[in-house]
Amino acid sequence: MDGIALRQNGFHCGDCGSPGVSVPHALSDASVVSCANCGLNLGSWAEYRQRIDMALMAEQAGKARRLIVADPVGNVLARA
């Protein structure tokens, strides 16, 4: 699950740097998420969402203003 990196301008694949992800049409918590460029397995949809939530919370910790996340992937911040 170390394939996701948070950079100043967004999320990127830890291997190739691509910001794109590929998810299957029939999405469930067990669905596999992969890098849209190199195909690196980024984990299950549930694991991917959790890692994105953790990255967003870590990013928020260094900010004076609260991050507003409209994307349902960032659901932990919406509950905070």
Side-chain angles (χ1 to χ4, degrees), residues 27-73:
L27 194 58
S28 72
D29 282 347
S31 297
V32 175
V33 176
S34 58
C35 173
N37 184 54
C38 72
L40 177 69
N41 182 336
L42 300 174
S44 71
W45 177 240
E47 292 166 334
Y48 179 77
R49 284 193 338 248
Q50 182 180 23
R51 290 191 47 85
I52 295 300
D53 286 342
M54 291 179 352
L56 288 170
M57 288 182 352
E59 177 75 7
Q60 176 64 33
K63 302 284 184 190
R65 293 182 50 198
R66 180 181 166 99
L67 265 172
I68 304 299
V69 179
D71 192 321
V73 172

Side-chain angles (χ1 to χ4, degrees), residues 2-28:
D2 295 331
I4 304 169
L6 181 62
R7 295 186 185 161
Q8 187 173 9
N9 59 350
F11 301 96
H12 294 79
C13 173
D15 277 4
C16 74
S18 173
V21 296
S22 178
V23 295
H25 285 66
L27 194 58
S28 72

